[in-house]
Amino acid sequence: MSHHLRTGLTSVPELDDVQFGRWQNLLEERTGMCLPLQRRSFLQTSLGLRMQEIGCQNYQEYYDRVTDGPSGAIEWNTLVDRLTVQETRFFRDPDAYAFVDQFVQQQAAEMGPDDTLECWSVGCSSGEEAYSLAMVADRYLTPQSKRFAITGTDISTIVLRKARAGRFQPRALDWVPQDYLARAFKNSGINEIEISDHLRKRCCFSQVNILNLNAFPLDSQHIIYCQNVLIYFRRWRRREILNVLAERLAPGGILVIGLGEMVDFSHPLLEPVRSSQVSAFVRKKTNSTGETARR
């Protein structure tokens, strides 16, 4: 018997066990994301509504479409945008940003006039995380005429377009500390605020599949911020991702992840930060011979 789930004014067909397994495997194979059984209704709704938009009658027909040739690759990118957009906001984890704040203050005191503080927001979504990092860097570095650069990466092209535009609903300001409001934003129209030009110029955004981090030419980062990303992957893949990120840190740089995302992770290049509020690591500095310096 055919069942349908009603969603608003539309209905989508039921995703049976076989089709759920096929789509689950395809998503993990191509993006690394592991979709648990509890997210079955989310997958069903996302697939079903997209099928209605393009006139597919069932999940098998749509599966064949997204796995067939160049046109399938285009449709797959559209679907991934639907499936991977995550909730985000400015300064989402105050404790983590307080840790970043302290680190940036220290860097500001140690940087030379020709140095640039490099920051990477992994899984940046619509840009709030990257711009939050930019606000912190701007606060301490710009008054000293020191430079910073923020790179945001995500698999979704839709959220990256939003990030590059730097425009947000006024309610987004509810999460921004008062000290940043005047300098970081400007009014851009009715019911819309915009990131200030001097911050947006310091931020760039690029599409990157986290499974292909090895091919992404970014290294010597002073801050790598990767929160609420690892939870969507299996533990062995989380470890692989963190191993790559560890290699991309500059000596003395910090890697910040979400609390509980990888509690038992260790790496020979990294020292864990001892804190109950923040899950972070510092890359060990090296001595003049290239060996890891002892503390």
Side-chain angles (χ1 to χ4, degrees):
M1 180 181 295
S2 177
H3 298 278
H4 288 73
L5 173 69
R6 187 159 293 278
T7 306
L9 298 178
T10 64
S11 62
V12 298
E14 183 179 4
L15 189 65
D16 63 31
D17 292 343
V18 173
Q19 285 296 334
F20 176 69
R22 293 194 74 192
W23 283 99
Q24 189 182 39
N25 291 337
L26 183 66
L27 186 64
E28 183 168 6
E29 176 186 329
R30 292 189 173 187
T31 70
M33 292 180 60
C34 179
L35 206 64
L37 185 61
Q38 296 90 326
R39 299 271 285 170
R40 180 173 180 160
S41 61
F42 162 75
L43 179 61
Q44 176 174 299
T45 301
S46 299
L47 293 175
L49 293 180
R50 181 56 183 164
M51 285 158 50
Q52 290 179 346
E53 291 174 1
I54 63 175
C56 279
Q57 300 302 310
N58 55 65
Y59 295 111
Q60 184 60 52
E61 179 185 349
Y62 187 47
Y63 184 94
D64 292 339
R65 178 174 294 199
V66 301
T67 55
D68 183 25
S71 62
I74 295 173
E75 178 57 32
W76 172 254
N77 287 335
T78 301
L79 179 62
V80 166
D81 286 332
R82 303 285 185 91
L83 296 176
T84 59
V85 174
Q86 308 300 333
E87 178 187 357
T88 186
R89 62 176 182 263
F90 292 107
F91 295 92
R92 181 173 182 175
D93 183 344
D95 291 327
Y97 280 103
F99 175 71
V100 169
D101 186 289
Q102 294 176 353
F103 177 79
V104 174
Q105 286 189 66
Q106 177 184 349
Q107 293 298 300
E110 298 176 358
M111 287 172 61
D114 297 325
D115 294 336
T116 299
L117 184 77
E118 301 279 356
C119 309
W120 181 6
S121 169
V122 183
C124 67
S125 189
S126 47
E128 287 91 335
E129 183 176 279
Y131 288 125
S132 297
L133 293 172
M135 290 180 217
V136 176
D138 177 62
R139 178 179 185 176
Y140 297 107
L141 299 181
T142 300
Q144 299 184 35
S145 299
K146 295 179 179 179
R147 299 173 299 189
F148 64 91
I150 315 294
T151 301
T153 60
D154 202 281
I155 195 173
S156 169
T157 56
I158 288 179
V159 296
L160 289 172
R161 283 197 294 270
K162 294 179 180 178
R164 294 185 187 106
R167 298 187 182 94
F168 303 93
Q169 296 298 309
R171 64 177 178 272
L173 298 182
D174 293 345
W175 305 100
V176 180
Q178 190 71 29
D179 293 346
Y180 294 112
L181 291 177
R183 181 167 172 79
F185 297 91
K186 64 181 182 179
N187 291 324
S188 61
I190 299 175
N191 294 325
E192 189 176 64
I193 51 94
E194 187 174 351
I195 294 291
S196 297
D197 293 339
H198 75 282
L199 287 184
R200 194 163 60 223
K201 290 176 182 178
R202 296 291 185 180
C203 301
C204 68
F205 298 93
S206 179
Q207 184 187 28
V208 174
N209 186 332
I210 204 166
L211 296 187
N212 300 326
L213 286 180
N214 279 321
F216 187 54
L218 200 66
D219 56 17
S220 299
Q221 298 296 294
H222 300 96
I223 300 172
I224 298 180
Y225 202 95
C226 181
Q227 277 203 337
N228 304 304
V229 175
L230 300 176
I231 56 175
Y232 299 101
F233 299 90
R234 297 188 188 275
R235 291 185 63 80
W236 65 268
R237 201 181 295 277
R238 297 181 198 184
R239 192 175 301 279
E240 285 189 347
I241 293 168
L242 289 175
N243 285 339
V244 174
L245 295 180
E247 298 283 348
R248 303 303 180 88
L249 278 173
I254 59 172
L255 167 62
V256 182
I257 65 176
L259 279 174
E261 286 188 299
M262 198 64 179
V263 295
D264 59 348
F265 176 71
S266 63
H267 190 284
L269 292 176
L270 302 180
E271 293 184 357
V273 174
R274 305 301 179 184
S275 170
S276 60
Q277 286 80 37
V278 177
S279 185
F281 304 86
V282 179
R283 176 154 177 172
K284 300 173 184 177
K285 295 184 179 181
T286 55
N287 57 28
S288 59
T289 63
E291 298 175 344
T292 300
R294 294 183 179 179
R295 289 185 174 272

